[in-house]
Amino acid sequence: MTRGGATEDSLQRLAEAIGILPRWHHLSGAEQTTGPETQRALLAAMGFAAASDTEAAETLQALTAETAARRIPREIVVEADAETTFPLTDVTDWRLELEQGGTLSGTAAETATIALPAGLHRLVAGDQSCLVIAAPKRAPAVSDLLSTTDEGPRPWGVTGALYGLRSDKNLGVGDYRDLGDACRALGTCGAQFFGINPIHASGVMNDDVSPYAPTCRTALEPRHIAVDGIPGFADCKEAQRLLHDNTADLVAAREGDEVAYAIQEKIQPQILRALFKTFNDTGRTADFDAWRQARGLALERFARFEAISQRHGADWRRWPQDLQAAGSAAVENFAGEHAAEIRYHAWLQWLAENQVGNAQTAARQAGMGLGLYLDLAVGVRPGSADTWADPDCFAKGVSLGAPPDGFNPQGQVWNLSPFNIPALRKAAYRPFVETLRGVMRHAGIIRIDHILGINRGFWVPENGAPGGYVTYPMESLLALVKLEAARAGCIVVGEDLGSVPEGLRGWLVEAGLLGCAVLQFEKEGDRFRDPCAYAPSTLASFGTHDMPTMRGWWRGSDTDLRRDTGQISDEAQARAQQERSGERAALLRLLEDKGLLAEGSALEEAPVTALHRLLAGAGSDLVAVQLDDALGNLEQQNLPGTVSEYPNWRRRYRIKVENLGQEPGLAAIAEIFNAAASADATDTAAEKEKQPWM
């Protein structure tokens, strides 16, 4: 073969066979072609040799031969408990190994029509096998878990930042006991859920406070452990001494406007070490030991990673070569020599899981029908515990990101490793399933960050080549989400904002997942959509943690921030403010049309109450109120595109968790949502008060 002929064409065919999109469209509608440089980089990230045209041709030939030799599919997705005819006519004999135990078997001469129970089964035919995912038709619906009627109040909840919760007991960072206290207060107000930032483990040696850049998505963040909630704390003199000796720092940490990560990091590890010694000295460790054994290899590898990282740093790619493989003899030797340290990190996970479970129990006891609304981050850092434990299942030399858009003209690079899809399939999706189980274990509802990634991911090569899209096995991934959600009794919300692939929202609805209806984005031309027209299969809100608060949006503070941090020019900021002025006018018109404002009102401050009345009439199955809005805050929690230019993930709430139930702003909002039965009821109530702003 010659260059310019079949050999060169092999690169394109190989890329498409692996799932690299040959072209895609910007939000502007402009078409972008995935060039050879990007194709080679993305193929290399998945372990496919394609550095030259000849190499690409050889890889394609091997892949084609492997596909032709298969007598059964690589995986099969079926509806649980529904009769399904399996494609077994080309095999001599087969057996189905059921997850629950037991085996079904037969020969090709027989018709294999089977109704499988929900689960992850394995079909074996000769020397070949494949995963069989038997999932329910839909994930649990709001009506499955909550008693709702058309006449009753729309189920609502609150979203906030765990790290920002304030109390007289934490160490300067919101902890899991604060989480339970917040749920008690919010549940008493009538909220059905409390949503927080991801609480995945960030890594003991990691200095990045972003909850969206974890080291492990199956482990919990130890920094949120409430030390005085640990059994044995009252009897541990060393722990008491450490608290007493750091009184001045703790007072400063609890009174400050920003989360005191540095103070907490100085004090908490010392107290935890003292309590761990007390715990081991008691000899009453049977519950922990049984729990640790049940959690198996995933917990063991995470704990080993943490222990090794304390000696060699947070990024395993910079460790000594013999420690870079999780299953190496050197790692086994390290584990034997440092068993106590590894046990300590496993113990922290036991504490964290118990305290998160206690918070969910507190939420349910306070009347929350769903309780914790937990967030599943889109990925992990490249040098993380997860990529060390399962290196083949993550792509190398690329980062997840997003193509250029109106907010980020240069595009985004998130420094997060995507799953390597071919390897993930060979692993029967185990890391993905373990991730789902970890976040669903103590949640009544979860949010999957960037749900677009269930269909495709935008991969940005580290070598400087342009980014490109890689398609994902959506049918299988959605089936796994439905299966695990049904097992956990958990509602799933998919964050479907940004450049959404055509048809994705319809597939999510069919699978029973909720999408997002964010009022700031819900526009048709120059008009805002009436929330009463939002699709039921959505969770409605005014904004998110990455967006301005109600007050910030109304003032245009976000455009000022983007200019001040160098994201946009003065001229672009002036245009953005002019556009915001038009949006404010459009939103005022909608509020007036709904009878929520006196006609002709021109407000200097955001009409917070009116906006919440508008949301209370949403057609969505669920509505979320941001705690920042309930407390009248101006600043948003995170400004995308910044690192140190803005205090991301550091903003603390002004009110203590135990006083949330008495906060006037929250009480007023709770009254609105608890009374609202429908958009019509909202309109009727509004007639009684023509000036509802705060």
Side-chain angles (χ1 to χ4, degrees):
M1 292 185 244
T2 60
R3 293 187 62 83
T7 303
E8 187 172 290
D9 182 57
S10 294
L11 176 63
Q12 180 72 29
R13 290 162 54 203
L14 175 62
E16 292 189 35
I18 297 302
I20 299 171
L21 291 182
R23 62 192 60 82
W24 47 276
H25 292 83
H26 288 286
L27 279 174
S28 64
E31 184 175 271
Q32 175 71 41
T33 299
T34 305
E37 184 183 9
T38 299
Q39 290 171 334
R40 296 188 197 282
L42 301 189
L43 286 167
M46 290 182 271
F48 292 99
S52 67
D53 292 337
T54 299
E55 208 170 52
E58 292 171 350
T59 301
L60 177 62
Q61 184 178 19
L63 182 67
T64 302
E66 180 188 352
T67 301
R70 288 201 65 84
R71 291 167 291 168
I72 56 175
R74 295 184 184 279
E75 60 202 36
I76 300 172
V77 176
V78 302
E79 183 181 340
D81 301 317
E83 288 196 344
T84 303
T85 301
F86 286 82
L88 300 171
T89 55
D90 293 332
V91 302
T92 55
D93 51 53
W94 56 268
R95 70 178 185 277
L96 263 167
E97 300 169 351
L98 303 182
E99 180 182 9
Q100 297 85 348
T103 301
L104 303 175
S105 60
T107 68
E110 299 172 334
T111 301
T113 301
I114 308 166
L116 287 176
L120 302 175
H121 316 299
R122 180 151 296 278
L123 173 64
V124 180
D127 60 351
Q128 297 181 3
S129 68
C130 77
L131 177 68
V132 179
I133 307 170
K137 188 173 184 179
R138 295 171 57 84
V142 173
S143 58
D144 295 330
L145 304 182
L146 294 176
S147 298
T148 60
T149 65
D150 292 338
E151 295 76 23
R154 178 80 61 230
W156 66 282
V158 177
T159 56
L162 171 60
Y163 54 82
L165 296 180
R166 185 188 295 270
S167 75
D168 286 333
K169 294 182 178 179
N170 69 38
L171 304 182
V173 180
D175 60 34
Y176 295 130
R177 186 207 27 247
D178 295 333
L179 177 59
D181 289 343
C183 287
R184 289 186 185 93
L186 297 172
T188 301
C189 292
Q192 294 298 313
F193 60 86
F194 182 38
I196 57 173
N197 50 276
I199 52 175
H200 312 308
S202 63
V204 66
M205 297 302 293
N206 175 50
D207 57 4
D208 183 355
V209 298
S210 171
Y212 288 93
T215 190
C216 179
R217 293 188 294 174
T218 61
L220 295 169
E221 178 53 79
R223 71 157 52 106
H224 298 302
I225 294 172
V227 293
D228 57 352
I230 298 173
F233 173 82
D235 300 322
C236 182
K237 293 182 179 179
E238 178 64 8
Q240 306 294 330
R241 183 192 67 77
L242 287 165
L243 278 181
H244 180 269
D245 290 352
N246 289 280
T247 299
D249 280 344
L250 286 173
V251 170
R254 291 163 178 164
E255 292 180 353
D257 292 331
E258 290 191 8
V259 178
Y261 290 110
I263 293 175
Q264 187 259 7
E265 181 58 30
K266 169 189 170 185
I267 300 171
Q268 191 208 38
Q270 298 180 69
I271 297 176
L272 290 173
R273 294 282 180 179
L275 289 168
F276 180 59
K277 182 179 184 305
T278 299
F279 170 76
N280 284 326
D281 289 346
T282 65
R284 295 190 293 271
T285 65
D287 288 346
F288 163 63
D289 292 333
W291 175 88
R292 182 183 179 186
Q293 184 175 8
R295 284 290 179 266
L297 185 61
L299 172 66
E300 181 65 19
R301 286 194 168 173
F302 170 75
R304 290 181 177 188
F305 179 92
E306 291 286 80
I308 299 173
S309 72
Q310 289 181 298
R311 289 176 173 264
H312 298 292
D315 189 335
W316 64 266
R317 298 171 299 177
R318 297 183 175 89
W319 292 357
Q321 190 69 34
D322 59 354
L323 292 175
Q324 292 186 12
S328 70
V331 170
E332 289 298 326
N333 290 336
F334 182 96
E337 295 169 0
H338 301 86
E341 185 66 14
I342 292 168
R343 178 179 173 82
Y344 169 71
H345 290 289
W347 178 73
L348 294 182
Q349 289 303 304
W350 182 60
L351 295 178
E353 185 169 314
N354 283 335
Q355 291 193 358
V356 172
N358 291 340
Q360 176 68 333
T361 298
R364 294 297 180 89
Q365 290 176 345
M368 284 189 171
L370 298 173
L372 297 184
Y373 173 21
L374 299 184
D375 204 342
L376 175 58
V378 68
V380 294
R381 301 193 306 274
S384 65
D386 279 358
T387 62
W388 178 74
D390 284 297
D392 292 341
C393 288
F394 291 89
K396 299 172 180 63
V398 294
S399 169
L400 284 169
D405 57 30
F407 286 96
N408 298 276
Q410 304 304 315
Q412 298 179 59
V413 180
W414 299 334
N415 194 33
L416 299 173
S417 289
F419 277 127
N420 178 1
I421 298 303
L424 187 66
R425 299 177 92 157
K426 289 182 180 178
Y429 299 99
R430 176 185 46 77
F432 180 70
V433 170
E434 289 176 346
T435 297
L436 291 174
R437 290 175 180 172
V439 75
M440 290 178 176
R441 185 171 288 121
H442 296 295
I445 175 173
I446 72 161
R447 170 186 178 270
I448 299 180
D449 187 32
H450 198 67
I451 193 67
L452 319 185
I454 216 162
N455 175 267
R456 67 185 189 184
F458 191 76
W459 293 12
V460 184
E462 293 176 355
N463 67 3
Y469 275 107
V470 176
T471 59
Y472 293 179
M474 186 178 66
E475 182 185 21
S476 297
L477 295 176
L478 272 179
L480 292 169
V481 170
K482 292 187 295 182
L483 174 61
E484 296 305 323
R487 286 172 160 171
C490 184
I491 291 169
V492 179
V493 177
E495 189 259 308
D496 55 348
L497 307 176
S499 182
V500 182
E502 185 177 355
L504 176 61
R505 289 194 172 105
W507 292 319
L508 297 179
V509 170
E510 186 177 342
L513 276 61
L514 302 185
C516 296
V518 178
L519 194 151
Q520 294 180 43
F521 291 157
E522 291 291 328
K523 296 179 65 181
E524 293 176 345
D526 60 353
R527 297 180 65 86
F528 282 92
R529 294 181 62 221
D530 188 337
C532 72
Y534 291 174
S537 55
T538 56
L539 180 147
S541 66
F542 181 80
T544 72
H545 59 269
D546 284 335
M547 299 167 63
T549 62
M550 284 182 174
R551 290 185 63 208
W553 185 90
W554 201 265
R555 290 189 184 183
S557 299
D558 54 312
T559 69
D560 296 338
L561 286 172
R562 292 172 62 205
R563 176 200 59 202
D564 295 345
T565 56
Q567 294 185 0
I568 58 175
S569 65
D570 290 342
E571 294 77 10
Q573 192 268 344
R575 290 194 298 270
Q577 278 286 21
Q578 184 175 12
E579 182 180 351
R580 183 62 51 79
S581 177
E583 290 178 324
R584 278 196 301 270
L587 193 50
L588 279 172
R589 286 195 298 272
L590 175 59
L591 293 172
E592 289 172 351
D593 291 345
K594 299 286 291 181
L596 297 173
L597 282 180
E599 187 173 348
S601 295
L603 305 176
E604 296 297 325
E605 274 292 325
V608 173
T609 303
L611 289 170
H612 282 112
R613 281 205 170 114
L614 188 65
L615 280 172
S620 307
D621 283 343
L622 294 173
V623 182
V625 173
Q626 286 184 279
L627 188 54
D628 278 307
D629 290 332
L631 299 179
N633 293 339
L634 177 67
E635 298 86 1
Q636 63 199 73
Q637 288 292 330
N638 178 55
L639 183 64
T642 62
V643 179
S644 59
E645 303 92 334
Y646 184 80
N648 296 323
W649 322 118
R650 289 176 169 83
R651 296 206 169 274
R652 166 176 277 165
Y653 299 111
R654 59 178 172 78
I655 189 170
K656 297 174 184 176
V657 288
E658 55 266 28
N659 297 329
L660 280 175
Q662 290 75 50
E663 169 64 21
L666 180 60
I669 290 169
E671 184 178 358
I672 291 169
F673 280 92
N674 292 335
S678 65
D680 291 339
T682 304
D683 292 345
T684 301
E687 290 297 326
K688 299 178 181 178
E689 186 180 355
K690 286 296 186 179
Q691 293 185 340
W693 54 86
M694 296 169 59

